[in-house]
Amino acid sequence: MPEPAETIDGWYCLHDLRSIDWTSWKRLPQDERQQILDEFVSMVEEWIDNEQKEEGSYALYSIVGQKADLMFMLLRPTMEELEQIEKAYNQSRLAEYTIPAYSYISVVELGKYMFRGEGDPLEDPSIRERVFPILPKWEHICFYPMDKKREGEDNWYMMPAKDRGQLMYGHGMVGRKYAGYVKQVITGSVGFDDWEWGVTLFAHDVLQFKKLIYEMRFDEASARFAEFGPFYVGNVLEKDKIAGYFQV
Ligand code: VOV
C-alpha cells in the first residue's frame, strides 16, 4: 500500500534568476543608470519592509558563472503576492536590461518524518519558525532543484513510510554536523515546477556547500535516490552594495 508522505507547508517561494545585458547597460548615460537603480533599490526596500513585518522574506544574491547574474528568492503567504512581485520587477526599468535566466516555484516544506507532536503543527512556534523562515543573509547561497528517483528497486515513492523515515533520519544526522555552517531551506514543488524539491543552502564559507553536498552523496537517501538539476552558487548582494555591483 502506498503511504504518501505528509508535509507541513508554509510560505510560497519564488526563485527568480536574471542575467544582466551588460552591453545595453553600459550604453546608458550614468544618470539614467542611477535612476534605474534607485527604482530597483526601492523595490528591495519594500522586500525588507515586508520582512520586518514578518509577512514574508527575501534573499538577494549575485550568481557566479554564466547561468545567471542575480537571484531573488522571495517568500510570501500567497502565490498571488509572488506574481505581483514578479510583475512589478518585470515592469521596472531594470528588467529592460536583464534577461530571465531561470525561475522556480515551490512552497516551504517540512516532512512530518521527525514531527512527533499532536494537533496542528502550525501552532508549534518551532515549526512556524521553519515553515515561515526569515531567510539568512549569510555570505553565500547555493540553490538547486532535485527529485527522488522512481527506478526499479530505487523507487522512493514505493518504499514503506518507515524505511523512508529511517533514511531521512540518516540524512538529518549528516546535515546536523553542519549546524551553524550551512542553513537549509527545503521547498516542495510537486505540482508547481519541473522538479520535486528546491534546495536552498546558505553558508558563511562557500566551501561548506561542497563539503556538505559531497558528504550527503554518500548517504543512502542521496546516494540511491537523489537526482539533481542545475546548481546556482552566489554571493550576498546587500542593498548598499547594489550600486557598486552595477558600476561599469
Ligand atoms: C544543513 C543540512 C541539512 C539538514 C540538517 C537537513 C535535515 C533534514 C531533515 C531532518 C529532513 C526530514 C524532515 C523535513 O524537514 O522534511 C530533511 C528533508 C529533506 N532534505 Fe535535508 N537537510 C540538510 C541539507 C539538505 C541537502 C543538502 C539536501 C539536498 C540533497 C543532496 O544530497 O544534495 C537536502 C534535501 C532534502 C529533501 C529533498 C528533503 C525532503 C525529502 C522528503 O522526502 O520529504 N537536505 N532534511
Side-chain angles (χ1 to χ4, degrees), residues 110-111 113 144 148 156 168 171 175 184 197 216 222 228:
L110 208 57
Y113 294 112
Y144 52 98
K148 291 272 175 84
W156 182 254
M168 288 322 293
H171 164 88
Q184 89 281 15
W197 288 276
M216 275 193 178
S222 293
F228 301 101

Side-chain angles (χ1 to χ4, degrees), residues 5 109-114 130 144 146 148 156 168 171-172 174-176 178 182-184 186 197 199 201 212-213 216-217 222 226 228 231:
E109 174 187 300
L110 208 57
K112 275 200 182 162
Y113 294 112
M114 313 296 158
R130 294 187 58 194
Y144 52 98
M146 65 172 284
K148 291 272 175 84
W156 182 254
M168 288 322 293
H171 164 88
V174 174
R176 274 173 56 176
Y178 291 81
V182 179
K183 168 115 182 83
Q184 89 281 15
I186 303 299
W197 288 276
V199 178
L201 309 172
L212 164 67
I213 295 167
M216 275 193 178
R217 290 283 154 105
S222 293
F228 301 101
F231 279 66

Side-chain angles (χ1 to χ4, degrees), residues 105-163:
I105 314 291
S106 53
V107 60
V108 182
E109 174 187 300
L110 208 57
K112 275 200 182 162
Y113 294 112
M114 313 296 158
F115 181 70
R116 308 248 178 274
E118 296 283 314
D120 182 357
L122 288 178
E123 280 172 13
D124 177 337
S126 69
I127 300 276
R128 291 189 69 82
E129 227 169 73
R130 294 187 58 194
V131 295
F132 305 118
I134 298 303
L135 297 172
K137 313 297 182 258
W138 291 5
E139 285 85 339
H140 304 285
I141 199 164
C142 172
F143 163 67
Y144 52 98
M146 65 172 284
D147 281 344
K148 291 272 175 84
K149 228 180 255 173
R150 287 192 301 259
E151 278 173 24
E153 291 297 299
D154 296 338
N155 187 331
W156 182 254
Y157 298 90
M158 293 297 283
M159 273 176 70
K162 191 169 128 294
D163 297 358

